[in-house]
Amino acid sequence: MKLALKKTNLTPPQILVIGFAVMISLGATLLSLPIASASGQPLPFLDALFTATSAACVTGLVVVDTGSTFTVFGHMVIILLIQIGGLGFMTMATLFSFVLKKRISLKERLILQEAMNQSSMEGIVRLIKRVLQYALTIELVAAIIFSIRWSFDFGLAKGIYLGVFHAVSFFNNAGFDLFGPITGPFSSLTSYASDPIINIVSMALIILGGIGFIVLSDLLDWKVNKRRLSLHSKVVLSATGFLIVCGALVIFMFEFTNTKTLGTLDWQGKILAAFFQSVSPRTAGANSLDIAGMRQASQFFIIVLMFIGASPGSTGGGIKTTTFTTLIGAMITMVRGKEDIVLFHYRLGKDRILKATTITLLALGLVIFVSMVLSTTEDYPLLMILFEVTSAFATVGLSMGLTPNLTDVGQIMIIIMMFIGRLGPLTLAYALGPKVEKELYRHPEGKITIG
């Protein structure tokens, strides 16, 4: 890996794009083999490509039911793609370098910086070590709890198998599940809507995977840093907490009397399910309620939550909580007639505001464009199409039931959206665009009327 990187003149964004493309192609090839299919017949390559992309991009959208379509070999391929895709293939390559006690080159550090969305290389190797430690520890603890719980329902061997698979899937915000043969195809966690252990552990995994490894590191060093958190961690934790609580309240109010969702549950089930459906749009993709059975107001609100997504440096997608907070801060600043966006007594630089605006507009443009295309190729309501497209871009995986019924064109468009969503529109733009050269002059300032 290191030798290949030294010989190439590719930029870090280009290496990330190519790396993910190669990983997805390899995964699709393996999933299309007869040994991966429960029926013994090769899975159509487009279906295999869709599944591999969804797993590598930690999305969770599926065209075939994971539990009933694939064998143990297929499940292992999927969970490996999820783990590598969630932590990043460069992170996993760095793990092998640690094991072999090899030095991390400057080129590799630049790629890791790009992959982890860091502004500098300082401490990047130390952060990667922590990423691996945190991820494996959290997944192990969750796997043990899940295994014990499901052992009561399915026996020890099956309980451990389900526990390990879902711990990795949920922490990496992938949303893949194996309950198809047990509770019905594409059922996810709907049979555990009132189970406190499954709900609480799943939500904890989703949140821990979605807040980002920078924040996790900051929280664990809280006492060392004299009980102070960085501005980034404060913004992420505040935005995440606000979105989860706000989302749960909105879903609880809209779905309280809906007999297809919360209406038939007791108070404990209503509260757990409302919070779970609010946490899942952090890009997890698992659901304990029938998304298609929700009222349109709830479905549209979940689209908004999915579009915002998780936080930078995490296993999730979306425009990110920090981008959302920056835009809200810019709006409040403008309304108040002030010049600077101030968060927790810190002023944000103009480059942060420009980047947040660019990411949001690119994301919004992509979602709108693909939704318009699919509205002509798929004979389904626009809200349903918008939901699936947003879910794909934000690598969420929640579905109203459209994905398994997509045409070939629709599948390809969703595959592209998942790929762009995992890498980020800016990273892809940098990878495909020409090399940026420094401007030698500046144009005179002009004024236009806004609003």
Side-chain angles (χ1 to χ4, degrees), residues 193-390:
S194 299
D195 190 303
I197 296 176
I198 300 300
N199 276 267
I200 292 171
V201 175
S202 298
M203 286 190 285
L205 283 170
I206 295 166
I207 293 169
L208 290 173
I211 60 176
F213 297 107
I214 307 165
V215 179
L216 283 176
S217 179
D218 209 10
L219 287 172
L220 291 175
D221 288 341
W222 186 55
K223 289 186 177 180
V224 178
N225 294 331
K226 298 180 181 179
R227 299 188 177 183
R228 293 179 179 177
L229 294 174
S230 66
L231 174 62
H232 173 81
S233 296
K234 289 178 180 178
V235 170
V236 166
L237 293 173
S238 300
T240 301
F242 170 78
L243 290 170
I244 289 173
V245 173
C246 180
L249 289 173
V250 171
I251 292 170
F252 186 85
M253 287 187 296
F254 281 125
E255 300 297 320
F256 187 81
T257 58
N258 187 351
T259 55
K260 296 180 181 179
T261 54
L262 296 183
T264 57
L265 301 176
D266 57 18
W267 274 95
Q268 175 179 292
K270 282 180 168 64
I271 294 171
L272 286 173
F275 270 97
F276 194 94
Q277 264 55 235
S278 178
V279 170
S280 193
R282 296 274 69 72
T283 79
N287 57 284
S288 60
L289 296 177
D290 179 16
I291 302 298
M294 285 183 159
R295 294 191 170 109
Q296 288 190 351
S298 300
Q299 293 167 345
F300 187 80
F301 186 73
I302 289 176
I303 289 176
V304 175
L305 292 178
M306 291 193 298
F307 187 75
I308 296 170
S311 302
S314 71
T315 59
I319 63 170
K320 304 296 190 295
T321 53
T322 48
T323 301
F324 172 72
T325 304
T326 300
L327 293 177
I328 295 297
M331 180 186 70
I332 293 173
T333 298
M334 179 61 68
V335 170
R336 290 182 174 178
K338 297 184 178 181
E339 292 186 2
D340 297 326
I341 300 176
V342 178
L343 300 174
F344 295 100
H345 307 293
Y346 285 93
R347 173 177 55 85
L348 294 186
K350 291 185 177 180
D351 62 319
R352 302 294 90 187
I353 304 166
L354 287 173
K355 187 173 183 179
T357 305
T358 303
I359 290 173
T360 304
L361 290 177
L362 282 173
L364 192 60
L366 279 168
V367 169
I368 292 173
F369 173 74
V370 175
S371 296
M372 290 172 62
V373 173
L374 291 187
S375 67
T376 61
T377 64
E378 317 297 319
D379 188 20
Y380 288 93
L382 181 59
L383 181 63
M384 199 173 188
I385 292 171
L386 181 62
F387 193 100
E388 306 288 313
V389 171
T390 306

Side-chain angles (χ1 to χ4, degrees), residues 33 44 71 128 140 175 186 259 261 280 376 400 412:
L33 297 175
T71 60
I128 295 302
L140 177 61
F186 312 108
T259 55
T261 54
S280 193
T376 61
M400 289 176 62
I412 292 170

Side-chain angles (χ1 to χ4, degrees), residues 3 17 19-20 46 60-61 82 107 128 138 157 160 257 294 331 335 347 356 368 422 424 428:
L3 185 62
V17 171
F20 265 96
L46 184 58
L61 287 174
I82 289 172
K107 184 79 172 181
I128 295 302
I138 293 169
I160 292 174
T257 58
M294 285 183 159
M331 180 186 70
V335 170
R347 173 177 55 85
I368 292 173
R422 182 63 184 102
L428 197 63

Side-chain angles (χ1 to χ4, degrees), residues 420-432:
I420 295 174
R422 182 63 184 102
L423 289 168
L426 271 184
T427 298
L428 197 63
Y430 291 151
L432 300 177

Side-chain angles (χ1 to χ4, degrees), residues 63 83 105 136-137 139 192 219 292 338 377 423 442:
V63 289
Q83 187 71 287
S105 68
L136 297 178
T137 301
E139 288 173 353
Y192 292 96
L219 287 172
K338 297 184 178 181
T377 64
L423 289 168
R442 296 180 70 187

